[in-house]
Amino acid sequence: MSTAPSAKGTVPFGEHRTWYRVTGTPNSGRPTVVALHGGPGSTHDYLVGMAVLAESGWPVVHYDQLGNGGSTHLPDASTDFWTPQLFLDELDNLLRRLDVDGDYVLFGQSWGGLLAAKHASARPAGLRGLVVANAPASYPLWLSEMRVLRDRLPPGVDDTLRKHEAAGTTDSKEYFDAMMVFYNRHVCTLRPWPREFVATFMEIYNDPTVYYAMNGPSEFHVIGSLRDWGVVDCLPDIEVPTLVISGRHDEATPATVRPYAELVPGARWEIFEDSSHTPHLEEPERFIAVMIEFLESLE
């Protein structure tokens, strides 16, 4: 059960609106933890358990990135509208609007981790720390490792996936069923999936505009605008204390995560042995303990 929010609503972002929820009281002595969800095109729901950090004194901000959840949906926006810079601008706007830009920590999960790292590389004055969770450092690295993971699927599964990807029928039930074999191994190993994770999954399913434009039809078939994008070049510019998190069975394999550990000065890398892509759900007690240890180290 997550801690109840102390505030929620929307803030204007240009002609659009960004939905947010705050747990705890920002600017009350400890930096605010701002959670950036994955996708792109996901929602905050599967990260809502992080609100428990407020019970230990760290306020938490969750938000839905533009195009999904409670934020403005733009199903008719052109593909080139959806760029990393758009979401960096949205993050900057949110931090200012909520008046937390003077004292905050970023937690970025999956796609949110690349976004958080890119933000941190600009060395904003109010940023106190960075957590990059289950995030590849670039999509070319990610795609290279997806081939490795796909080759290890049970016999026939990858053949089915490739058949539909070649035919452009990735919306078929057969593709979905084969896709779930991968997801259950490398995205979330829990059975059944937690309710908050299902909520996020359904949000993408109900409006895949952003996910399809930037990523593609699945985690391992990235044909969207991000296929050549990454943050490797800017990692040495990050100056704040940085924690890197990944799961032993993560779709974000060690090869995709290693640049953070090697290139961000002083970064610490924590691998969760019993997790895939969602250690915060698969090993929640240890996850919160690791987070609190890191946040305390910033003091």
Side-chain angles (χ1 to χ4, degrees):
M1 187 65 69
S2 63
T3 304
S6 51
K8 58 183 179 178
T10 63
V11 297
F13 172 48
E15 299 176 355
H16 315 301
R17 301 198 72 86
T18 301
W19 180 95
Y20 71 89
R21 58 169 271 167
V22 180
T23 312
T25 306
N27 303 314
S28 57
R30 280 179 159 169
T32 298
V33 178
V34 181
L36 284 65
H37 64 68
S42 183
T43 62
H44 80 285
D45 299 85
Y46 75 111
L47 296 175
V48 75
M50 289 182 60
V52 74
L53 291 171
E55 295 179 354
S56 298
W58 287 277
V60 179
V61 170
H62 288 89
Y63 74 104
D64 288 337
Q65 294 163 22
L66 189 67
N68 289 86
S71 296
T72 304
H73 288 233
L74 297 160
D76 298 323
S78 62
T79 301
D80 59 7
F81 175 80
W82 305 106
T83 65
Q85 190 59 51
L86 171 73
F87 293 103
L88 289 165
D89 292 343
E90 181 185 33
L91 173 60
D92 287 342
N93 179 72
L94 181 76
L95 295 171
R96 288 193 305 270
R97 297 278 186 176
L98 296 183
D99 191 28
V100 298
D101 56 334
D103 191 22
Y104 66 103
V105 173
L106 285 190
F107 172 90
Q109 202 275 337
S110 196
W111 142 258
L114 288 94
L115 203 61
K118 187 70 172 176
H119 174 93
S121 71
R123 302 175 181 174
L127 182 64
R128 303 290 175 248
L130 171 68
V131 182
V132 176
N134 319 102
S138 79
Y139 283 91
L141 268 177
W142 174 269
L143 282 166
S144 175
E145 287 296 286
M146 286 302 107
R147 286 192 288 271
V148 175
L149 295 180
R150 288 174 64 144
D151 285 344
R152 296 175 183 167
L153 293 173
V157 174
D158 196 39
D159 292 338
T160 298
L161 294 170
R162 292 187 186 283
K163 177 183 72 175
H164 288 288
E165 288 162 5
T169 51
T170 54
D171 56 351
S172 70
K173 184 180 186 303
E174 188 178 41
Y175 186 84
F176 179 87
D177 291 343
M179 179 183 77
M180 291 302 294
V181 176
F182 181 97
Y183 280 36
N184 286 329
R185 286 184 170 209
H186 299 298
V187 181
C188 185
T189 59
L190 298 174
R191 304 291 181 277
W193 281 358
R195 183 173 61 181
E196 58 267 38
F197 188 68
V198 173
T200 287
F201 191 79
M202 292 310 297
E203 287 277 5
I204 297 176
Y205 181 81
N206 289 332
D207 187 352
T209 302
V210 184
Y211 189 74
Y212 282 4
M214 299 185 75
N215 187 87
S218 69
E219 293 293 275
F220 44 79
H221 189 48
V222 181
I223 55 175
S225 60
L226 289 180
R227 63 188 177 275
D228 298 318
W229 190 71
V231 296
V232 175
D233 60 332
C234 71
L235 297 182
D237 297 328
I238 296 173
E239 291 187 327
V240 294
T242 298
L243 170 65
V244 181
I245 288 173
S246 65
R248 179 61 66 192
H249 312 291
D250 206 328
E251 59 178 349
T253 65
T256 72
V257 173
R258 189 168 291 115
Y260 294 106
E262 294 182 345
L263 298 176
V264 177
R268 168 188 155 202
W269 188 2
E270 193 81 29
I271 297 176
F272 285 69
E273 294 294 337
D274 297 320
S275 293
S276 59
H277 198 53
T278 51
H280 60 283
L281 299 174
E282 294 163 291
E283 298 180 66
E285 294 83 6
R286 181 169 172 236
F287 171 79
I288 292 299
V290 167
M291 283 294 298
I292 288 177
E293 179 185 7
F294 174 71
L295 292 169
E296 287 178 342
S297 75
L298 302 180
E299 299 176 347

